[in-house]
Amino acid sequence: MSVKPTVLKLGGSVITNKEKPLTPNMPAIERLTREILRANVSPLVLVHGGGSFGHPVAEQYGIRAGYKDSSQIMGFSKTHQAMTKLNKLIVDSLINHNIPAVEVQPSSCVVTKAGRIQSMEEKPLKKMLEIGFVPILYGDAVLDSETGFAILSGDQLVSSLAIRLDAYRIIVGVDVNGLYTADPKTDPSARLIQHITLEELKNLEHKIEGSKVTDVTGGMFGKMRELTPAVEHGIQAIIVNATKPNRVYKALKGEKVVGTIIEKGETIE
Amino acid sequence: MSVKPTVLKLGGSVITNKEKPLTPNMPAIERLTREILRANVSPLVLVHGGGSFGHPVAEQYGIRAGYKDSSQIMGFSKTHQAMTKLNKLIVDSLINHNIPAVEVQPSSCVVTKAGRIQSMEEKPLKKMLEIGFVPILYGDAVLDSETGFAILSGDQLVSSLAIRLDAYRIIVGVDVNGLYTADPKTDPSARLIQHITLEELKNLEHKIEGSKVTDVTGGMFGKMRELTPAVEHGIQAIIVNATKPNRVYKALKGEKVVGTIIEKGETIE
């Protein structure tokens, strides 16, 4: 690749109805497909979360805790299968709009160690980007060298991919406007942080409340922590509200948009 | 793995209606699922062909010939997506019967060179077998280091997997009873060969007609040739008619069954 790829993450709460098991948010998927098509950014890697597809099954069988007994085996199969179903809806939508999307299955090419990526086969992925495909990955149930299996969150994957592919930028689409000084869903005094450095983030860490929504991969707080390695690597990340039309489009185009930019930078406000 | 895995191949002509694009043969898929469940062989790896899912799209866009121009890009995406849809039906059927099936996507872990497997990430696959999962792979559109992309046939994959996993046995389920002295569909004098060594196969080679059905990955003749490396490696292969009830079951159980056994052995009839 001569040009650095953009890594776009679409959160599970954006593309699914998180309250109803196995329910995609098709209008949101279709709208985001059109935003991606219009922005026409290349190379592009898309990573999506599990929302109501992956999480309820993973929780039911305690997949995140690793392999404890054989009753979980079917749970792993079902979690992974649910994720591939959600992925299929997204890839179908992209292909229908003439975007050359190709599913890349984390469980087929990643092994974790105690839940952290230990090895990742990158050759097919890099070759896809060279030719002009848009690889689509996702949070997945994966094999783990220490615990048997684990849940690899889309957020950990985004950060790792960005570093491995020497990405230009990370765009994280969630269901809030960005990072707030408090939980905007419960605290009316919460203020959107438009720009933050890693050092400022560290200072804020104790003030930020985790998302209250049940999520085996963590809420906004976990997301921020997962992005840190990529940002430390010099890759800019921006968090935008993907439930609001055109926010993802503007972020892809590099236009000014409501959201939180996270940068390594040394500046202190 | 302490026990050597069995590698089962189910041909595209068995699990799909080859004459109708994108049409699965659900009764056959359900019956074969029950045969696999009853046989209860572990460890087991399943590889399936594309039939009317993969082949028509792959042919339409000339995917097998490699990357020539950008009009093929969408064809690759569509070929791969069609294969994942067929795979989903098979994995769903297995999971519904409490078989812990997990899709392993060749395009995510294999790169070919001029159509032959150049590298394959085996770690997730081996870990799955250790824990007790049944990995399900398939013929797929894959990235190629020389030609951009290529079609990796299920048959090439079976042979390569069998060697890499040091398999106990290969069972190939097709829509004929085995290898004949001539094409049984056109020549009434054709006789089923019940047992053949690699040397005998070589001698017969010029007499065997390829399958007449359109198949971008080759017919029975290509199948035999693809199995040769695994058989040379000392792995026994048996070809059975998977459209006939209980043939796959008997082969899995190691019972006597109508079919063709291919062995390295030095015996000449």
Side-chain angles (χ1 to χ4, degrees):
Chain A
M1 287 160 290
S2 44
V3 184
K4 292 181 167 194
T6 296
V7 179
L8 170 64
K9 163 89 196 294
L10 294 175
S13 54
V14 174
I15 54 173
T16 73
N17 180 337
K18 277 200 104 165
E19 314 307 322
K20 279 192 189 169
L22 301 170
T23 311
N25 183 338
M26 287 313 298
I29 292 172
E30 289 289 321
R31 174 180 54 78
L32 288 161
T33 292
R34 289 192 301 271
E35 292 187 29
I36 291 165
L37 181 69
R38 266 200 304 138
N40 193 25
V41 167
S42 178
L44 177 68
V45 178
L46 177 60
V47 177
H48 64 81
S52 66
F53 279 77
H55 297 156
V57 197
E59 274 194 7
Q60 188 192 334
Y61 288 91
I63 301 305
R64 199 190 189 186
Y67 183 41
K68 311 272 184 216
D69 68 80
S70 60
S71 69
Q72 294 170 295
I73 300 263
M74 284 309 302
F76 181 98
S77 286
K78 286 177 186 173
T79 301
H80 175 60
Q81 188 72 346
M83 283 308 302
T84 68
K85 274 174 193 160
L86 175 58
N87 178 268
K88 213 126 307 307
L89 297 174
I90 293 164
V91 173
D92 275 344
S93 172
L94 293 163
I95 288 178
N96 287 342
H97 287 78
N98 252 352
I99 297 167
V102 181
E103 176 187 1
V104 173
Q105 203 158 71
S107 53
S108 297
C109 57
V110 172
V111 170
T112 55
K113 185 178 177 182
R116 309 301 305 174
I117 295 172
Q118 183 179 32
S119 69
M120 184 191 292
E121 169 62 326
E122 302 164 2
K123 286 196 281 291
L125 184 66
K126 286 183 171 169
K127 196 91 194 120
M128 282 178 202
L129 288 171
E130 263 174 42
I131 293 182
F133 292 108
V134 179
I136 319 289
L137 298 92
Y138 43 92
D140 199 1
V142 299
L143 281 299
D144 190 287
S145 62
E146 218 170 272
T147 61
F149 42 65
I151 295 292
L152 169 63
S153 76
D155 295 310
Q156 185 189 154
L157 191 54
V158 160
S159 192
S160 177
L161 280 173
I163 294 169
R164 285 161 192 271
L165 301 172
D166 190 21
Y168 164 59
R169 211 150 52 122
I170 296 171
I171 299 164
V172 180
V174 291
D175 64 351
V176 290
N177 285 342
L179 179 66
Y180 281 80
T181 50
D183 187 342
K185 287 172 184 167
T186 54
D187 188 341
S189 78
R191 185 176 60 83
L192 179 68
I193 298 167
Q194 293 181 288
H195 186 276
I196 195 163
T197 64
L198 284 185
E199 195 174 330
E200 290 164 351
L201 186 65
K202 229 175 182 176
N203 296 337
L204 251 176
E205 205 167 301
H206 65 282
K207 298 185 199 161
I208 299 162
E209 293 271 311
S211 162
K212 294 288 186 295
V213 184
T214 302
D215 183 341
V216 293
T217 65
M220 180 61 74
F221 194 59
K223 266 179 220 306
M224 305 298 296
R225 210 168 8 217
E226 286 297 3
L227 292 177
T228 305
V231 177
E232 260 167 6
H233 204 260
I235 301 161
Q236 190 196 78
I238 178 163
I239 299 177
V240 294
N241 193 335
T243 68
K244 300 266 171 82
N246 283 320
R247 298 265 173 103
V248 165
Y249 168 79
K250 282 182 179 171
L252 283 168
K253 295 294 276 186
E255 294 176 7
K256 200 173 155 47
V257 59
V258 177
T260 302
I261 291 171
I262 311 148
E263 275 178 316
K264 191 180 180 186
E266 305 305 320
T267 32
I268 313 275
E269 293 190 271
Chain B
M1 288 158 289
S2 45
V3 185
K4 291 180 168 195
T6 297
V7 179
L8 169 63
K9 163 89 197 288
L10 294 175
S13 55
V14 174
I15 52 172
T16 74
N17 180 337
K18 277 200 104 164
E19 314 306 323
K20 277 193 189 169
L22 301 171
T23 311
N25 184 338
M26 286 313 297
I29 291 172
E30 289 289 322
R31 175 180 53 77
L32 288 161
T33 292
R34 289 190 301 271
E35 292 188 30
I36 291 166
L37 181 70
R38 267 200 303 137
N40 194 23
V41 166
S42 178
L44 177 68
V45 178
L46 177 60
V47 177
H48 64 81
S52 65
F53 279 77
H55 298 155
V57 196
E59 274 194 5
Q60 187 192 334
Y61 288 90
I63 302 304
R64 201 191 188 185
Y67 182 40
K68 311 273 185 215
D69 68 81
S70 58
S71 70
Q72 294 170 293
I73 299 262
M74 283 309 303
F76 180 99
S77 286
K78 287 178 186 172
T79 301
H80 174 60
Q81 188 71 347
M83 283 308 302
T84 68
K85 273 174 195 163
L86 175 57
N87 177 269
K88 213 125 305 309
L89 298 173
I90 294 164
V91 173
D92 274 344
S93 172
L94 293 162
I95 288 179
N96 287 340
H97 287 79
N98 252 352
I99 296 167
V102 180
E103 174 186 3
V104 174
Q105 203 158 71
S107 53
S108 298
C109 57
V110 172
V111 169
T112 56
K113 186 179 176 180
R116 309 302 303 175
I117 294 172
Q118 183 179 31
S119 69
M120 185 191 292
E121 169 61 327
E122 302 164 1
K123 284 195 282 293
L125 185 65
K126 287 183 171 169
K127 198 92 195 115
M128 282 178 203
L129 289 170
E130 263 173 43
I131 294 183
F133 291 109
V134 180
I136 318 289
L137 299 93
Y138 43 91
D140 199 3
V142 297
L143 281 298
D144 190 287
S145 62
E146 219 171 272
T147 61
F149 43 65
I151 294 293
L152 169 63
S153 76
D155 294 311
Q156 185 189 155
L157 190 55
V158 160
S159 193
S160 177
L161 280 173
I163 294 168
R164 285 162 192 270
L165 301 173
D166 191 23
Y168 165 59
R169 213 151 49 121
I170 295 170
I171 299 163
V172 180
V174 292
D175 63 349
V176 291
N177 286 342
L179 180 66
Y180 281 81
T181 52
D183 186 342
K185 289 174 182 167
T186 54
D187 188 340
S189 77
R191 186 176 60 81
L192 180 69
I193 298 165
Q194 293 180 289
H195 187 275
I196 194 163
T197 63
L198 283 185
E199 195 174 331
E200 290 165 351
L201 186 64
K202 228 176 182 174
N203 296 336
L204 252 175
E205 204 166 302
H206 65 284
K207 297 186 200 159
I208 299 161
E209 294 270 312
S211 162
K212 294 291 188 292
V213 182
T214 301
D215 183 339
V216 292
T217 64
M220 181 60 75
F221 193 60
K223 267 178 221 307
M224 307 297 295
R225 210 172 4 218
E226 286 296 2
L227 292 178
T228 305
V231 177
E232 259 166 6
H233 204 258
I235 301 161
Q236 191 196 75
I238 178 162
I239 298 177
V240 295
N241 193 335
T243 68
K244 301 267 171 80
N246 283 320
R247 299 265 173 102
V248 165
Y249 168 79
K250 282 182 178 170
L252 283 168
K253 294 293 278 185
E255 293 176 8
K256 202 174 152 48
V257 58
V258 176
T260 302
I261 290 171
I262 311 148
E263 275 177 317
K264 191 179 180 185
E266 306 305 320
T267 32
I268 313 277
E269 294 188 273

